[in-house]
Structure formats: C-alpha cells, structure tokens
Amino acid sequence: QELCNAFVSDLTFLEALAVVLDHTLRDLVFYSVGIIINITLHPESRQKIVEKHNLIPKLIEVLRDSNIEDIDLSKVAAKALHNMT
C-alpha cells in the first residue's frame, strides 16, 4: 500500500499512465490497466488517483475501443473502472 501511495503521489507517473492508455499498442495498454487495477485495490491510493488525475474517461475510452475480439482488454478495463467506483 505504501508503494502504491508513493506512485499515486507522483503526478508524472499518473500523467504517463494517462498517455499510455491512449497508445495503439494493445499489450502496453493492457498492462497499464493492470497497474491501475493493482493501485486502486487500496482505498487511499484509489482516492488519490481519482482526485489528482481522473483516469475514468481514459478507461471508458479503452473499454469502448476494445471489442468482442479483445474481451480480455474489455474485462481489465471494466475491472479498473469497478475498482475506481
């Protein structure tokens, strides 16, 4: 939890995550969403990530862009959104 809080406190890290979510490389986006899932497991980190840099719109875009052919990316994006709410 302390490590997650340290990452979330770093605005450049959160900005980098936001940029990566716009990337066209599917694996890069997939693993970045996994990082968001892990960070948002902790309530304090979840609150910071929502307050400092709201990634919800970016995750919604990922969910919209993934289709039935990439159900795994859809699932992780939905899980990240679920963790943030």
Side-chain angles (χ1 to χ4, degrees), residues 27-40:
D27 288 343
L28 189 59
V29 174
F30 184 84
Y31 292 120
S32 298
V33 174
I35 291 169
I36 294 169
I37 289 172
N38 290 334
I39 288 173
T40 56

Side-chain angles (χ1 to χ4, degrees), residues 20-68:
V20 170
L21 291 177
D22 285 333
H23 208 281
T24 57
L25 286 175
R26 181 239 182 237
D27 288 343
L28 189 59
V29 174
F30 184 84
Y31 292 120
S32 298
V33 174
I35 291 169
I36 294 169
I37 289 172
N38 290 334
I39 288 173
T40 56
L41 289 175
H42 309 288
E44 187 176 325
S45 298
R46 181 180 327 130
Q47 183 178 359
K48 284 182 183 178
I49 203 168
V50 171
E51 288 175 358
K52 290 189 176 191
H53 198 29
N54 190 358
L55 296 176
I56 292 174
K58 297 282 186 182
L59 290 169
I60 291 171
E61 282 182 42
V62 170
L63 189 58
R64 283 185 181 150
D65 291 343
S66 57
N67 54 32
I68 195 70

